[in-house]
Amino acid sequence: MKNQKWILLFAGLAMIAIAAGLLTALKQHPRLGQPGIRATPIPGSVAMKIELPAGVLDFISTNVPEPAVVLGYLPKDTSYAERLYKSADSEIPIEGTVVLMGTDRTSIHNADYCLRGQGLDPYAKSIATIPIGGPEPYTLPVSEWKVAGTFQQPGGQSEKVSGVYVFWFVADGDETPSHFKMLEKFAMHLLRTSMMQRWAYISYFSECEPGQEDATFERMKKMIAASVPEFQLSPAGKF
């Protein structure tokens, strides 16, 4: 049994060493896979242009410029898109965001850290599925997190904010709702092919009244199901 543990340890260390070596080589001569979303090159830029749909069902949207924190913090070849969707049946918008990595995997962060850094606590986490229509219908697995936080208002009073955060990761011909699984897939694909998968981190967020999380998720599901075919490749690699 002890020998088996040592063998597994050395095998794991060997894989890490091989992956590290490949990453070092790729930084000098990067081989980057195709994205699993619609993205076009920007002349004179290392990033790509991502277009989220402007209109979805009865939602109208506003483009959100890339925040300064994104421009200053993420790697330069990170591609970013964000839109704010509103509908007549609710004053609460749904925020849609896409972060597409380039040759630096650190473009994509752990959702847990990002949310907590914004003062939101993910207190309930689950995996859900969203049926996606189109010529080749499929079921999209997503992470559905209920979040809450308390924020100090200008007048000094505290306000509790509740919401639903839905996200997943997609690359060319691959997808997962798990950040850990995405990293695993990235490493295994790199070891097999010496090519970096170009992962995109897709997320939707909506605030809601406490107790309305399930109803909010149902509203988000309909909107997501209609918007995804407009910018994300199907598992078969087609729009």
Side-chain angles (χ1 to χ4, degrees), residues 65-82:
E66 192 169 4
V69 65
V70 173
L71 288 170
Y73 186 66
L74 294 179
K76 297 301 182 183
D77 60 356
T78 304
S79 305
Y80 182 91
E82 181 178 349

Side-chain angles (χ1 to χ4, degrees), residues 52-182:
L52 291 170
V56 181
L57 301 177
D58 61 341
F59 289 83
I60 58 173
S61 69
T62 304
N63 184 60
V64 179
E66 192 169 4
V69 65
V70 173
L71 288 170
Y73 186 66
L74 294 179
K76 297 301 182 183
D77 60 356
T78 304
S79 305
Y80 182 91
E82 181 178 349
R83 295 195 77 89
L84 206 60
Y85 294 89
K86 297 182 180 180
S87 62
D89 66 340
S90 175
E91 296 181 356
I92 302 176
I94 298 175
E95 177 186 291
T97 305
V98 177
V99 178
L100 176 65
M101 63 169 276
T103 56
D104 192 331
R105 183 191 54 75
T106 61
S107 295
I108 299 178
H109 294 83
N110 188 308
D112 215 319
Y113 299 153
C114 292
L115 290 170
R116 293 183 190 279
Q118 298 174 53
L120 293 171
D121 174 34
Y123 65 88
K125 302 177 180 180
S126 60
I127 302 297
T129 55
I130 299 179
I132 305 298
E136 298 180 356
Y138 64 97
T139 300
L140 177 68
V142 302
S143 286
E144 179 214 344
W145 290 6
K146 295 178 176 65
V147 300
T150 302
F151 298 88
Q152 199 78 12
Q153 299 303 304
Q157 70 276 23
S158 296
E159 179 182 2
K160 184 176 181 179
V161 173
S162 297
V164 178
Y165 188 67
V166 179
F167 67 94
W168 66 97
F169 306 90
V170 61
D172 186 19
D174 211 344
E175 62 189 22
T176 177
S178 165
H179 183 264
F180 177 80
K181 193 68 177 178
M182 182 272 293

